[in-house]
Amino acid sequence: MERRKVIKGIAAAVGIAWVSPRISDLGLDQTSMEKSSFAIPIRGLANKAGKLVQPIQLTITHTGADAPLVVRADHQEVERRSLSLGTHTFNVYVEPVETARQMVINYEIAGKSESAEVRVEPVRKLLIFILPHSHHDLGYTDLQSNVEEKQMANISRGIELARNTANYPPGARFVWNLEVLWGADQFMRTKTEPERQELINAVRKGWIGLNGMYANELTGLCRPEELLQLFRYSTELGSQCGVPVDSAMISDVPGYTWGTVSAMAQAGIRYFSAAPNYFDRIGTFMVEWQDKPFWWISPSGNERVLVWIPWTGYAMSHIMKLDTQWVNKYQARLDEIGFPYQISYIRWSGHGDNAEPDPEICEFVKKWNQEYEWPRFSISTTSDAFAAFEKQHGHQLPQFKGDLTPYWEDGAGSSALETRMNRGAAERLAQAATLSTMLAPEAYNNADFNLAWRNVLLYSEHTWGAWNSVSDSENLFVTQQWQVKRQFAVDAENESKKLFDKVLDAYASEKNSSTVDVHNTCSWPRTEVIVISKERSLGKDHVNNEHGASVPSQLLSTGELAFLAENVPPLGSASFHLSAAAPHVPAKRVTVLDGVLDNGIVRAKVDSKSGNIVELTSNESARNLVDTSRDQAINQYLFLEGKDTSKVSTSGPVRIAIEEPGPLVAAIRIESSAPGCVDLVRRVRLKASADWIEISNIVNKKRAPLNPHPGQGGPGGDFAQHESKESLQFAFPFAIEDGQIHIDVPFAVMRPESDQLPGSCKNWLPVGRWIDVANTEYGVTWATLDAPLVEIGSLSATMLGSQTHPEIWQKHIEPTHTFYSWIMSNHWSTNYRAYQDGPVEFRYALRPHGGYEPAAASRFATGMSQPLVASAQGQRSRMGLKLRKDQEDVLVQECKRSADGSAWIVQLFGASGEDRKAGLTWADGRPIKVWRSNLSELPLERIDTQVDVPAWDLITLRIET
């Protein structure tokens, strides 16, 4: 089914006039269209005998023999000609108007006369770029394999049309924009060498425009390295073609995480054509940003991208036709919004999604430009259009710095297990790359990592499933698409584990040894509890460090061995020896008694009736950091059917047991029934010497009821829109007086409301690794490993089915210390899943602290996501990374071997929010050469080993020894 038919059905079902929901907001008010008349003004300027004149199109039917026709405009004769029998359409010309005015057009022929009053509008001397492309939906209206074939065929067809129109006048020649690059990647990997070379040559000729995103991504789901990988392939393909890629497109998706600017800068991208879905579940995004180009400033303030959302997003070709009436309507739209520039652009995505190139635009532009001087049309690449606009108007544009909080990431909660797998795979791939540089550089294979990242990216791509995924969930068309989508996450997880294990296998030399090596892939020293399997511990419970001193250990109830790995050096390793002696007890034990876990640093109390955490204190302050004033507590389970938050329910009576009694690890297990679930198992864990508690919640989900009449009503029907909707949350109410919430997003930290740009989603927000609630004296850092969405202050994610009216979305986020981890939902009427079932684990950690320190929060949460790694005894490669960095607030984001194998690629991030200088050295004293680089990995600028790292900036270095 064509997507526009799907959307039309949804629009009709929710009571919206087709052509455009919220017509007035999008500037498609049909009352402004010309009434039927023999005279229609055309908002164009023609050159007649060296003079600019304004046309009025006449359509006159003459029923008699040949006769003279006289046409007058405001009583002045403007045309005299002979008309034969029949209907004739032609232009007459008047002096151009400077302001809109009424004009009377009269004609006389064979004793008959007719008059019409028309409104003649001034013509904009405007250059309008047309950007042809195909919207890449990897699924939805067709199976993914068929879509891949379509998009590869579109590349060949685009080249053919460019060749066929190469002799057309400039501006009318066909150009094909690759909206995103997964289709081009597939083309380059599967086509013959002559076909690949044809694409490369077409790019060099300007027939094909490359745009930098790999997929139409839900950027709010991306881990930091994943966001960079979204643009990496553009540098590779651009290099193959010998053409730098400085533009990006995204379609359908409303809203983009702030760090997207930083990631684009790393790929050399300056221009961003963003064209969202133009009416459904987009909040006020289009109302705020349509045809209001601006410079989007990065979190550091050192980079910027020119962002421009065109009229109707990417859907113009779905609902309009390029003709003279459209030219009038387009200028009327620009008048309505007071568009101040002399260059504009539109997207032209063909007739539906995954549509083939539309050759008719060449004929329209060729004919129009031959007949009219203004406005002018030019078929273009994104890069050329935006570069022309920047040259003329870039200095006039406003600048905005903040998060364009996205809307559609909520759909990831419809497949929480796979979302969890994909987040884990992204973290594991980044950690595996760094681990390989440390231990076994020869184990790093760039192509294998790229393939794994491709799967991560295609899971986070916006097309989750079929158009009828909710209304007809068991249809083979639906289940086949979901299996392909799910497989991206499965393959990403499997490949990341395989690459991780490959590094450790290459490193290990004594797999049966009693020595365990522990590796720290982070750039700061770490002390953490390591857990190794029963088989690996060989029944030996005592542990000594490499200096022979005993370290605390504990045999767990699972048969695993836990021990404390102290002061493992940054980007380094430490060795520990197992023996059969009794475990060494920590000097300060962790205890658990009557629901209270206490290690002398942190204390947490679990309520015996609810299983919720009702007290959390630290040795720095006796304050209870849990706000229980509204009958809520930390880690309280909430279940909401529908959208009436007064009917929210929670878990049932609990059974509490001590799973681990200490002295190194203490853990409480809380079992209960829970609405929407088969059962709920929550665990709270505290370790000796740790200044945080850990939470594990296993939600064994029941399947939501399916449509009792499968397929009936489609996405716009009552079932898909309103019925069987549910959401699951865990509450985190904190008692932090005058506390401020800070949310980690890739390469940035943002404050709800304060750092959100107009049009941002405020009903729910994506979160990277952590949220911090703090004042200047005390606070809590909350880390999330598996769940990427939160609601701030209240259960505000209650937008069921299609939501087309901007005014009903939340406009403000009030100051609060409470948020909810939104773990599961099925609120959409299409695309996302109708149900999920089975067990899914959601892990969190809570760290009380003094005043707010963003770098400390990042170190804590990154450590949770990328824990210390235990391996068999081995020998570090002499070629391994030996980097040392003297500034703890500058975090090493990732290290890896360069693709050419001759250097190290190191990414530094200014996580403290303040400018820092990081000194780099090599542990063995060898001199190093340092260059600034980016995703291309090229040596761009030689710099000193004392590296300036501005606040919130991402610095990519190429280091050679």
Side-chain angles (χ1 to χ4, degrees):
M1 176 178 283
E2 292 183 9
R3 187 179 183 121
R4 58 179 173 168
K5 292 179 180 178
V6 176
I7 296 174
K8 184 175 180 179
I10 296 173
V14 297
I16 312 167
W18 180 239
V19 178
S20 171
R22 290 294 296 176
I23 284 173
S24 61
D25 288 327
L26 295 177
L28 292 176
D29 189 346
Q30 296 184 73
T31 62
S32 67
M33 295 170 58
E34 299 84 355
K35 296 179 180 178
S36 178
S37 166
F38 74 87
I40 298 176
I42 296 174
R43 291 189 71 172
L45 292 178
N47 190 322
K48 297 297 181 182
K51 180 182 178 182
L52 291 180
V53 290
Q54 194 161 343
I56 297 176
Q57 185 183 84
L58 304 186
T59 300
I60 298 174
T61 300
H62 177 50
T63 57
D66 291 3
L69 168 77
V70 177
V71 181
R72 296 179 177 85
D74 283 348
H75 310 297
Q76 297 292 318
E77 184 176 313
V78 293
E79 179 76 8
R80 183 180 290 267
R81 65 168 64 189
S82 177
L83 281 194
S84 58
L85 175 70
T87 298
H88 305 266
T89 298
F90 56 93
N91 290 347
V92 298
Y93 299 93
V94 299
E95 291 288 331
V97 300
E98 297 296 327
T99 59
R101 71 181 186 87
Q102 299 299 116
M103 186 176 292
V104 176
I105 305 298
N106 169 268
Y107 74 86
E108 296 177 1
I109 185 171
K112 172 189 172 184
S113 67
E114 186 174 357
S115 295
E117 186 176 31
V118 296
R119 182 176 175 84
V120 182
E121 305 276 355
V123 176
R124 285 176 172 259
K125 293 183 178 180
L126 182 74
L127 173 59
I128 303 171
F129 287 105
I130 301 174
L131 276 52
H133 68 103
S134 177
H135 174 48
H136 286 53
D137 262 348
L138 190 53
Y140 198 71
T141 56
D142 203 350
L143 299 178
Q144 289 94 332
S145 57
N146 294 339
V147 170
E148 288 178 341
E149 293 299 322
K150 286 181 181 179
Q151 290 297 356
M152 288 192 291
N154 284 345
I155 292 174
S156 298
R157 176 61 174 155
I159 295 171
E160 179 187 5
L161 289 176
R163 183 183 299 112
N164 293 345
T165 59
N167 293 323
Y168 275 34
R173 299 164 187 166
F174 191 79
V175 173
W176 187 236
N177 283 282
L178 300 186
E179 176 189 80
V180 291
L181 293 179
W182 61 254
D185 186 18
Q186 185 82 348
F187 192 101
M188 295 298 287
R189 288 190 291 114
T190 62
K191 294 296 184 179
T192 64
E193 177 57 30
E195 289 172 308
R196 292 196 295 268
Q197 194 59 49
E198 185 178 45
L199 171 56
I200 291 171
N201 290 337
V203 173
R204 290 172 178 169
K205 292 176 181 177
W207 293 359
I208 297 286
L210 301 180
N211 290 284
M213 276 193 173
Y214 192 80
N216 287 302
E217 202 80 351
L218 300 178
T219 57
L221 299 182
C222 290
R223 320 311 300 121
E225 179 61 25
E226 181 182 355
L227 197 60
L228 292 173
Q229 288 290 327
L230 182 59
F231 300 98
R232 183 205 60 80
Y233 183 67
S234 70
T235 65
E236 178 183 327
L237 184 57
S239 176
Q240 285 180 271
C241 298
V243 175
V245 179
D246 62 4
S247 65
M249 279 182 160
I250 192 169
S251 300
D252 218 7
V253 180
Y256 324 103
T257 192
W258 193 359
T260 303
V261 184
S262 304
M264 285 183 174
Q266 289 291 314
I269 290 171
R270 295 176 45 78
Y271 308 128
F272 187 26
S273 169
N277 185 290
Y278 75 113
F279 78 98
D280 198 13
R281 297 184 73 89
I282 64 170
T284 61
F285 193 88
M286 292 294 275
V287 173
E288 294 287 351
W289 293 113
Q290 269 188 124
D291 275 327
K292 298 175 183 176
F294 66 96
W295 290 111
W296 191 10
I297 307 302
S298 70
S300 71
N302 295 326
E303 299 88 20
R304 66 180 189 175
V305 173
L306 198 168
V307 181
W308 194 345
I309 289 88
W311 186 34
T312 72
Y314 78 97
M316 182 170 287
S317 60
H318 301 186
I319 58 176
M320 300 186 197
K321 180 181 179 181
L322 287 180
D323 56 20
T324 55
Q325 190 179 73
W326 178 88
V327 176
N328 289 5
K329 190 185 304 181
Y330 186 72
Q331 291 181 79
R333 159 68 185 172
L334 298 183
D335 293 346
E336 179 186 336
I337 64 172
F339 187 76
Y341 311 112
Q342 280 71 57
I343 294 176
S344 184
Y345 91 103
I346 63 170
R347 293 279 206 95
W348 199 258
S349 63
H351 305 297
D353 292 336
N354 297 307
E356 63 183 33
D358 180 6
E360 293 302 313
I361 58 174
C362 297
E363 306 310 318
F364 167 78
V365 172
K366 180 182 178 184
K367 181 179 178 182
W368 177 275
N369 286 353
Q370 285 174 344
E371 190 165 354
Y372 300 108
E373 292 275 324
W374 297 105
R376 301 290 291 178
F377 289 91
S378 182
I379 302 170
S380 176
T381 64
T382 312
S383 176
D384 286 347
F386 276 54
F389 181 81
E390 181 192 14
K391 183 177 181 180
Q392 187 163 342
H393 296 297
H395 64 284
Q396 299 173 250
L397 300 183
Q399 299 190 10
F400 293 93
K401 186 177 181 182
D403 192 64
L404 273 169
T405 313
Y407 287 81
W408 284 12
E409 278 71 354
D410 66 312
S414 72
S415 52
L417 174 61
E418 290 76 17
T419 298
R420 176 187 192 273
M421 292 163 62
N422 209 57
R423 280 174 68 90
E427 295 284 10
R428 194 177 299 112
L429 283 170
Q431 191 173 20
T434 300
L435 195 65
S436 71
T437 66
M438 294 166 47
L439 306 183
E442 68 279 4
Y444 182 83
N445 183 290
N446 194 59
D448 290 343
F449 273 82
N450 289 343
L451 181 62
W453 277 117
R454 178 179 185 272
N455 284 311
V456 171
L457 289 171
L458 291 181
Y459 178 78
S460 298
E461 194 270 345
H462 80 301
T463 318
W464 231 248
W467 64 272
N468 53 342
S469 61
V470 178
S471 58
D472 199 7
S473 60
E474 306 312 292
N475 186 302
L476 184 61
F477 179 71
V478 175
T479 58
Q480 284 181 325
Q481 287 202 46
W482 169 241
Q483 284 307 312
V484 173
K485 181 69 172 183
R486 182 179 191 275
Q487 198 63 39
F488 290 133
V490 171
D491 288 347
E493 180 174 65
N494 291 339
E495 289 162 4
S496 67
K497 289 180 177 178
K498 186 185 302 181
L499 291 168
F500 202 92
D501 291 344
K502 181 180 178 181
V503 175
L504 296 182
D505 288 344
Y507 167 78
S509 58
E510 301 289 340
K511 293 190 177 181
N512 295 318
S513 167
S514 293
T515 297
V516 174
D517 289 348
V518 176
H519 314 287
N520 177 11
T521 55
C522 294
S523 57
W524 57 92
R526 293 164 67 184
T527 295
E528 293 171 17
V529 170
I530 289 288
V531 177
I532 59 176
S533 69
K534 179 180 180 180
E535 294 74 22
R536 180 69 189 87
S537 66
L538 304 172
K540 300 175 180 179
D541 301 340
H542 188 91
V543 183
N544 293 88
N545 64 23
E546 56 196 22
H547 305 294
S550 297
V551 300
S553 61
Q554 178 182 330
L555 183 65
L556 303 180
S557 60
T558 58
E560 298 166 300
L561 179 67
F563 68 89
L564 187 66
E566 294 181 293
N567 297 316
V568 182
L571 300 174
S573 306
S575 294
F576 298 85
H577 184 74
L578 309 182
S579 66
H584 180 67
V585 176
K588 183 63 178 178
R589 301 173 179 230
V590 60
T591 61
V592 53
L593 180 66
D594 295 332
V596 176
L597 298 104
D598 191 348
N599 67 356
I601 304 171
V602 176
R603 179 182 181 275
K605 181 178 181 180
V606 173
D607 183 75
S608 60
K609 294 182 179 179
S610 67
N612 304 330
I613 299 173
V614 292
E615 293 180 18
L616 178 64
T617 60
S618 73
N619 61 354
E620 293 186 1
S621 171
R623 296 180 183 89
N624 182 12
L625 300 177
V626 183
D627 182 0
T628 59
S629 63
R630 296 189 298 168
D631 294 325
Q632 290 189 349
I634 284 177
N635 207 37
Q636 180 179 3
Y637 172 85
L638 301 174
F639 178 76
L640 178 62
E641 288 186 282
K643 63 179 183 179
D644 186 351
T645 57
S646 68
K647 297 180 180 179
V648 69
S649 55
T650 189
S651 53
V654 299
R655 299 175 299 281
I656 298 179
I658 296 174
E659 273 195 336
E660 307 296 344
L664 180 62
V665 179
I668 295 175
R669 174 187 174 102
I670 306 116
E671 296 182 7
S672 67
S673 62
C677 301
V678 176
D679 53 46
L680 170 67
V681 178
R682 291 174 287 172
R683 290 180 172 87
V684 182
R685 185 181 301 111
L686 180 62
K687 300 165 183 174
S689 78
D691 60 356
W692 69 88
I693 65 169
E694 298 172 18
I695 295 171
S696 164
N697 299 328
I698 298 178
V699 175
N700 191 359
K701 183 72 180 64
K702 284 181 183 177
R703 177 181 293 193
L706 307 185
N707 190 350
H709 307 289
Q712 183 174 313
D718 285 343
F719 179 84
Q721 289 289 325
H722 309 295
E723 297 174 16
S724 194
K725 303 300 187 189
E726 58 184 21
S727 64
L728 288 68
Q729 291 90 356
F730 287 104
F732 291 91
F734 292 105
I736 313 289
E737 186 177 359
D738 298 324
Q740 169 69 58
I741 290 180
H742 291 84
I743 299 180
D744 170 60
V745 294
F747 311 123
V749 173
M750 58 88 74
R751 297 163 297 171
E753 188 70 23
S754 301
D755 291 323
Q756 292 183 278
L757 296 186
S760 289
C761 183
K762 297 182 179 180
N763 290 71
W764 53 84
L765 288 78
V767 56
R769 295 186 178 117
W770 56 267
I771 292 177
D772 192 271
V773 187
N775 55 35
T776 57
E777 297 180 2
Y778 64 94
V780 178
T781 300
W782 172 87
T784 176
L785 279 72
D786 309 302
L789 297 165
V790 293
E791 300 160 89
I792 305 296
S794 65
L795 298 183
S796 51
T798 55
M799 311 297 277
L800 310 184
S802 293
Q803 298 290 341
T804 61
H805 299 290
E807 63 271 14
I808 68 175
W809 289 80
Q810 184 170 318
K811 300 300 189 296
H812 300 287
I813 296 176
E814 298 298 328
T816 182
H817 314 131
T818 296
F819 58 87
Y820 302 85
S821 178
W822 187 22
I823 60 169
M824 291 182 174
S825 67
N826 63 349
H827 287 177
W828 278 61
S829 64
T830 184
N831 189 33
Y832 294 104
R833 300 207 70 205
Y835 64 84
Q836 54 194 310
D837 52 6
V840 185
E841 183 181 21
F842 300 94
R843 295 165 296 167
Y844 309 99
L846 295 163
R847 177 180 172 267
H849 58 75
Y852 170 61
E853 294 183 31
S858 288
R859 288 192 294 269
F860 165 61
T862 303
M864 298 302 301
S865 299
Q866 299 182 16
L868 293 177
V869 179
S871 77
Q873 184 179 13
Q875 183 67 43
R876 291 181 69 153
S877 168
R878 289 184 302 165
M879 301 300 294
L881 183 82
K882 298 177 176 62
L883 182 68
R884 295 294 178 262
K885 172 184 61 65
D886 65 4
Q887 175 50 256
E888 199 169 78
D889 284 353
V890 172
L891 308 187
V892 173
Q893 197 74 33
E894 187 189 39
C895 303
K896 62 181 178 181
R897 196 70 173 158
S898 63
D900 63 14
S902 62
W904 307 104
I905 303 301
V906 177
Q907 293 165 349
L908 304 179
F909 179 59
S912 69
E914 298 179 4
D915 295 348
R916 295 283 192 256
K917 187 181 290 288
L920 306 181
T921 56
W922 218 244
D924 60 9
R926 277 185 290 169
I928 58 175
K929 298 177 181 179
V930 183
W931 282 269
R932 281 189 179 274
S933 187
N934 57 19
L935 287 175
S936 72
E937 300 186 358
L938 296 174
L940 302 179
E941 177 192 0
R942 180 75 182 268
I943 61 173
D944 189 71
T945 55
Q946 295 292 317
V947 180
D948 290 318
V949 183
W952 311 126
D953 214 346
L954 179 68
I955 305 296
T956 298
L957 303 176
R958 179 184 173 97
I959 300 176
E960 295 181 8
T961 57

